[in-house]
Amino acid sequence: MKKNIWLAAAVTAVTLLTAGCAAQTPAASSDGGTLTYLDAEIATSAQVQESGTWQTRALQQNITDRLLYRNADSGELEPWIAESWTASPDGLTYTFVLRKGVTYSDGTPVNASSVKKNLEWQSRGDDAKGTTPNAQFPSGLTAVADDDERTVVVTLPEPYAPFLNVLTGWGAGLVADATIDASKEGQSKFVNLIGSGPFVVDSEVYGKEIVLTRRDGYAWAPPSSANQGEAHLEQVTVIPVLEDSVRLGTLKSGEGDLIRYVQPSEEQALADAGYQVVAATGVGLSNQWFLRPDAPFLGDINVRKALQHVIDRDAIVKNQYTESWTPATSVLAPGTFGYLDESEKFAYDLDETNALLDAAGFTERDSDGYRTKDGERLVVKTYIDVYDNTAKSLFQAIQNQFVEAGIELSLNELDYSTYWATAFADPEVAALRVGWPHPDPSKGLSEYYSADGSDLLGLAGSDATLQALLDAQNAATDDAQRTALLGQIQDYLIDQAYVIPILNDSQVFVAADRVDGFQLSDGALPEFYNVSVTD
């Protein structure tokens, strides 16, 4: 097998905080059992191209397989459904040789024709059904399949550096023709998500329960997997429970085996009581605030820089979090390909903050002690992130730190259903939290900050330097070139004070001691394949 010749894989940092030992790989004698998993959010849609929520990814991770697998420990790309692959030096042609004998859960083969159909469907979407292309995939992809030789040759119209890493991600899961050919409404149902993975969807009640059962005959796990046969678990019942206290109470009562999200203040007591606390930072972008230059007061770079230096990340982690969490040190998370430690550039420095605000003309104070300029109070508006159960206390801590410099942080709240549409469209919003795991850092950066992506900074391509860097990274044809470009992008986003890194995004799970073999993917998604539950 020829490994990725010009695209280095990223590495993920995983912390296991248990009552004295890490989770163990299950032995054959402990096979079986059922798992009740309580997620913190509702999985909304199984439609592959458009299902980007974390809780949906967690299901896709266990229902579908992908061409390539990234080892969460080593960061290496491994064969999966593709037993080998090559990439041309110009980054335009990829050849994948597929494993023999792989089938979808409906019995149809995962052959070259099926892979071709999947890749082109991901790249193009389906206009007739109203299905958009997968934002992670390169547009204009074409593929040629040879079922006899088990090869798929992919041609791109221009180099796309993230491609191989994207093929490891949740959104690149291979699905049967029956899923692709279904209506968009049909594709949104998990019972219609037909993959070749170790679990199949047995039943689904929206917002209440999704039941996965073991796939009979599964025998094509990645080579690094401790289990090379069928999943140990007979069944996984996934139940969304939005209230932290209810999830935790269900786990403690023995009615649940595994939960996602506990408050940091509860972690140590759970570990002391014998529960396994498993946390990971996924590869991709850190938990960060983007700053809109067109928002009130933020057109002045001195104000933006002042906001970078007013946050004491170390104090926040020490006072409110645990060893499962770390302060962000860059736009990218540590272990991500191209990561560059930028922490000195935005280190906490109240004197520097005050000097920058003085230089920006905010030299007066109102009766409440907030800085003013021409009679206007310096107010920074944000909405509390609905995707993180620690966000409210985090944002309040930052608000208190802003007060020390005479800055008012206006905290606003929305519910889960209205947050994205309302918060990101508010013209007065100065900062919002983004930064989730991405299978490739280039795509995450472009998705957020390019004029061709979400353009969260609202620059519409007006910053030619940033746009040129974001465009160039996608076409880089060797690791050294790409590393240099990613470093320049991180430098530029910090130097222009477009971004304030806050924390490294952590996913925290708690498992009962009867759960063996639980582990997280490179994207901090739960992998149930090696898990078993004992009495």
Side-chain angles (χ1 to χ4, degrees):
M1 180 198 71
K2 187 173 184 180
K3 291 206 173 185
N4 185 351
I5 59 176
W6 54 268
L7 191 62
V11 182
T12 188
V14 178
T15 303
L16 293 176
L17 303 178
T18 69
C21 63
Q24 301 296 310
T25 301
S29 60
S30 65
D31 287 3
T34 63
L35 179 81
T36 299
Y37 165 53
L38 309 182
D39 203 339
E41 294 159 317
I42 296 172
T44 54
S45 173
Q47 207 291 315
V48 176
Q49 287 96 329
E50 299 176 6
S51 54
T53 62
W54 195 96
Q55 58 274 24
T56 300
R57 302 176 191 180
L59 290 166
Q60 290 172 318
Q61 180 75 21
N62 292 280
I63 298 167
T64 66
D65 295 329
R66 287 153 289 286
L67 285 172
L68 309 180
Y69 180 80
R70 182 165 45 219
N71 187 304
D73 295 323
S74 70
E76 292 291 325
L77 295 185
E78 296 181 0
W80 197 351
I81 301 307
E83 65 180 22
S84 64
W85 64 92
T86 57
S88 63
D90 62 6
L92 295 177
T93 305
Y94 296 79
T95 301
F96 300 94
V97 179
L98 306 183
R99 295 177 69 153
K100 293 180 180 179
V102 180
T103 59
Y104 295 109
S105 59
D106 65 357
T108 57
V110 183
N111 57 17
S113 295
S114 172
V115 172
K116 165 186 163 65
K117 185 170 183 174
N118 269 268
L119 295 176
E120 292 184 339
W121 177 58
Q122 294 273 26
S123 176
R124 300 172 185 173
D126 189 332
D127 288 339
K129 292 187 174 78
T131 302
T132 60
N134 188 327
Q136 300 284 329
F137 269 69
S139 59
L141 176 155
T142 60
V144 176
D146 187 327
D147 288 330
D148 292 334
E149 296 295 324
R150 296 182 288 113
T151 59
V152 180
V153 179
V154 175
T155 302
L156 307 182
E158 57 188 11
Y160 185 69
F163 186 50
L164 290 179
N165 280 341
V166 163
L167 293 178
T168 71
W170 72 92
L174 299 169
V175 295
D177 285 358
T179 296
I180 297 175
D181 295 340
S183 67
K184 185 175 181 179
E185 180 181 3
Q187 292 173 12
S188 71
K189 300 180 185 302
F190 283 93
V191 289
N192 295 330
L193 183 63
I194 302 171
S196 61
F199 293 94
V200 299
V201 182
D202 181 72
S203 63
E204 166 187 16
V205 179
Y206 181 80
K208 300 292 185 182
E209 178 183 273
I210 295 175
V211 178
L212 310 181
T213 56
R214 180 169 54 204
R215 167 79 191 276
D216 292 338
Y218 186 83
W220 40 83
S224 61
S225 173
N227 180 13
Q228 290 293 309
E230 296 176 356
H232 301 304
L233 291 168
E234 297 175 6
Q235 179 177 293
V236 179
T237 302
V238 181
I239 302 173
V241 178
L242 279 58
E243 291 293 329
D244 289 357
S245 60
V246 177
R247 280 196 313 282
L248 185 55
T250 305
L251 177 71
K252 289 181 174 179
S253 72
E255 296 178 29
D257 303 301
L258 173 71
I259 65 173
R260 179 167 73 101
Y261 278 174
V262 293
Q263 290 299 325
S265 59
E266 297 167 330
E267 287 183 29
Q268 189 58 54
L270 288 165
D272 291 344
Y275 292 93
Q276 303 172 64
V277 179
V278 182
T281 294
V283 295
L285 278 68
S286 64
N287 180 324
Q288 58 201 257
W289 284 5
F290 65 84
L291 301 178
R292 286 178 171 162
D294 62 350
F297 311 118
L298 294 195
D300 189 330
I301 191 173
N302 285 324
V303 175
R304 301 198 303 271
K305 284 183 173 291
L307 299 183
Q308 286 183 328
H309 289 289
V310 76
I311 300 175
D312 188 343
R313 297 157 190 81
D314 289 333
I316 289 173
V317 171
K318 179 181 178 180
N319 294 331
Q320 296 188 201
Y321 289 90
T322 67
E323 293 180 10
S324 299
W325 305 80
T326 53
T329 51
S330 186
V331 179
L332 300 182
T336 302
F337 176 75
Y339 161 80
L340 184 65
D341 187 341
E342 300 272 2
S343 56
E344 288 300 316
K345 291 186 176 182
F346 54 87
Y348 171 66
D349 189 335
L350 189 57
D351 291 338
E352 179 69 8
T353 293
N354 285 322
L356 288 164
L357 292 178
D358 288 344
F362 288 91
T363 55
E364 303 296 325
R365 300 264 183 160
D366 63 17
S367 60
D368 294 321
Y370 291 108
R371 286 178 176 266
T372 64
K373 177 181 179 181
D374 300 328
E376 287 191 277
R377 177 184 288 188
L378 178 53
V379 179
V380 175
K381 182 178 182 180
T382 189
Y383 287 89
I384 296 174
D385 176 26
V386 299
Y387 301 110
D388 178 358
N389 72 326
T390 71
K392 189 166 186 176
S393 60
L394 170 63
F395 280 45
Q396 289 172 339
I398 294 173
Q399 183 184 51
N400 291 333
Q401 292 180 348
F402 274 35
V403 170
E404 296 180 37
I407 307 166
E408 180 182 356
L409 180 62
S410 172
L411 298 182
N412 299 270
E413 294 190 64
L414 294 165
D415 63 28
Y416 190 91
S417 63
T418 59
Y419 173 77
W420 188 270
T422 302
F424 285 80
D426 187 337
E428 294 189 352
V429 162
L432 286 173
R433 182 263 179 170
V434 292
W436 289 275
H438 283 77
D440 187 273
S442 295
K443 187 57 191 174
L445 291 166
S446 292
E447 180 181 327
Y448 290 158
Y449 302 127
S450 172
D452 302 321
S454 299
D455 190 25
L456 297 180
L457 299 171
L459 298 171
S462 61
D463 188 326
T465 300
L466 176 60
Q467 191 61 45
L469 287 170
L470 291 171
D471 290 342
Q473 67 170 345
N474 285 332
T477 55
D478 65 70
D479 283 349
Q481 179 187 21
R482 192 160 174 245
T483 299
L485 286 167
L486 286 167
Q488 291 175 52
I489 292 169
Q490 292 167 84
D491 280 337
Y492 196 78
L493 288 170
I494 297 299
D495 291 345
Q496 295 301 308
Y498 287 147
V499 173
I500 306 178
I502 308 291
L503 301 173
N504 291 316
D505 191 74
S506 292
Q507 294 293 332
V508 181
F509 296 77
V510 181
D513 62 359
R514 59 184 174 275
V515 176
D516 294 320
F518 177 66
Q519 60 190 29
L520 301 177
S521 74
D522 66 305
L525 297 169
E527 294 184 334
F528 301 132
Y529 177 56
N530 285 290
V531 174
S532 61
V533 176
T534 56
D535 293 331

